[in-house]
Amino acid sequence: MASGNTVLMRLVASAYSIAQKAGMIVRRVIAEGDLGIVEKTCATDLQTKADRLAQMSICSSLARKFPKLTIIGEEDLPSEEVDQELIEDSQWEEILKQPCPSQYSSIKEEDLVVWVDPLDGTKEYTEGLLDNVTVLIGIAYEGKAIAGVINQPYYNYEAGPDAVLGRTIWGVLGLGAFGFQLKEVPAGKHIITTTRSHSNKLVTDCVTAMNPDAVLRVGGAGNKIIQLIEGKASAYVFASPGCKKWDTCAPEVILHAVGGKLTDIHGNVLQYHKDVNHSARPKPDFFRAQLFLESHSCFSQ
């Protein structure tokens, strides 16, 4: 079956364009100067105008094109009519030229769950650490993350005021991951990346026990997975409550597509069924991620 006729590849192609639109919204809110910051549960758990607008854009755009999808977004927003200027109707045609993996060719729309983090790294966004920020759209089938899109609104941010900002990475299990150059850490180096804004003694003790050569504390789950695939870190450890399914679904796909692994702290695979616990803050999702370059089977630049 041609990929353009499969639900999964049409959804990924749409999610690519929708994620780019969300990235533009994230940049626009900064440019306008009013972040509209509110605290959700504490001083490190923030929501901005960009979180709200980007989620409305992503969820409404997806729901219009794929009305039978289950869509779960991070932000708890009231149901309301969304301004047409937030809607993205296009799709990335290059994705439709790719073959759909045969195991996913007959998937129905109602069988898919989409996990949305409209602005991963919100605290860093409010502090001007813009290269930490990502937009995450993950797609799950039968509880497994199978496709994902990561937009980096401020990719190339440090190249100067005239630089073209932003890039979008995407992947499908069984097909590959695209939009970046896969790299490995320097030979013999063991570099850990972990949380910047949610650290505690448990996190510190866990990281220290791994005896790393270096520790990179940065924001955003998506950003940290990108560090793995681009050779800035060899493992990502987060031994603390707070990370949710919308944080990990899309990044997990990209990591798995290039031979990496993301599990809970005991080595169990993460589940993405629509009824899985995802919003109760007291219940933690401890996890670890690592890239095993010697075993990767597919990637693209």
Side-chain angles (χ1 to χ4, degrees):
M1 182 181 294
S3 68
N5 294 324
T6 65
V7 169
L8 178 62
M9 298 306 283
R10 287 191 292 108
L11 176 56
V12 176
S14 293
Y16 185 103
S17 295
I18 290 167
Q20 288 191 317
K21 173 84 167 186
M24 291 174 60
I25 292 169
V26 169
R27 291 193 298 268
R28 188 185 74 202
V29 169
I30 280 275
E32 291 174 348
D34 178 13
L35 295 186
I37 300 170
V38 297
E39 290 187 11
K40 293 193 289 185
T41 61
C42 63
T44 60
D45 185 19
L46 305 178
Q47 182 192 86
T48 70
K49 181 179 179 180
D51 292 88
R52 297 186 288 273
L53 291 178
Q55 178 161 309
M56 286 189 284
S57 175
I58 294 167
C59 294
S60 296
S61 297
L62 287 172
R64 288 196 184 194
K65 296 190 77 170
F66 304 94
K68 296 179 182 179
L69 283 180
T70 297
I71 305 170
I72 303 173
E74 176 178 9
E75 309 306 335
D76 184 15
L77 301 176
S79 299
E80 59 182 62
E81 187 68 24
V82 174
D83 195 305
Q84 183 61 36
E85 70 97 19
L86 293 176
I87 301 299
E88 178 57 60
D89 291 320
S90 67
Q91 56 190 11
W92 191 248
E93 296 297 330
E94 292 300 314
I95 292 177
L96 298 180
K97 297 176 183 178
Q98 299 283 345
C100 180
S102 58
Q103 65 268 36
Y104 304 136
S105 62
S106 60
I107 285 177
K108 297 179 181 178
E109 194 175 303
E110 55 267 35
D111 296 331
L112 294 169
V113 180
V114 179
W115 294 87
V116 176
D117 190 337
L119 201 170
D120 184 41
T122 298
K123 189 170 189 297
E124 286 70 27
Y125 179 69
T126 65
E127 296 173 354
L129 300 173
L130 301 179
D131 55 345
N132 287 215
V133 172
T134 57
V135 174
L136 307 176
I137 303 176
I139 300 166
Y141 172 65
E142 295 184 340
K144 181 180 180 181
I146 64 167
V149 175
I150 302 176
N151 178 268
Q152 287 180 283
Y154 290 96
Y155 176 75
N156 217 24
Y157 175 68
E158 296 181 350
D162 297 325
V164 177
L165 295 179
R167 71 168 171 176
T168 303
I169 294 169
W170 68 279
V172 177
L173 292 190
L175 178 63
F178 307 85
F180 65 98
Q181 175 65 55
L182 183 66
K183 297 179 182 178
E184 57 184 312
V185 296
K189 292 293 185 181
H190 183 44
I191 303 171
I192 302 296
T193 184
T194 191
T195 181
R196 170 184 171 270
S197 56
H198 299 281
S199 191
N200 55 34
K201 187 176 185 299
L202 177 60
V203 172
T204 301
D205 289 349
C206 184
V207 170
T208 301
M210 300 181 73
N211 194 28
D213 295 296
V215 178
L216 303 178
R217 296 185 182 277
V218 297
N223 178 41
K224 287 190 270 294
I225 294 297
I226 290 171
Q227 290 195 26
L228 297 186
I229 64 177
E230 294 194 324
K232 297 175 184 176
S234 46
Y236 168 18
V237 177
F238 187 66
S240 180
C243 203
K244 302 303 175 188
K245 305 301 183 180
W246 42 69
D247 294 309
T248 58
C249 189
E252 177 175 333
V253 173
I254 305 302
L255 186 65
H256 282 198
V258 297
K261 189 174 185 180
L262 189 151
T263 70
D264 72 13
I265 207 69
H266 303 292
N268 302 310
V269 298
L270 301 184
Q271 295 293 316
Y272 296 95
H273 296 285
K274 64 183 178 181
D275 55 353
V276 73
N277 186 298
H278 59 270
S279 60
R281 287 282 172 181
K283 183 174 177 60
D285 288 324
F286 299 164
F287 72 89
R288 59 185 177 184
Q290 192 162 5
L291 180 59
F292 306 95
L293 283 177
E294 67 274 15
S295 66
H296 77 76
S297 58
C298 52
F299 72 95
S300 181
Q301 301 179 13

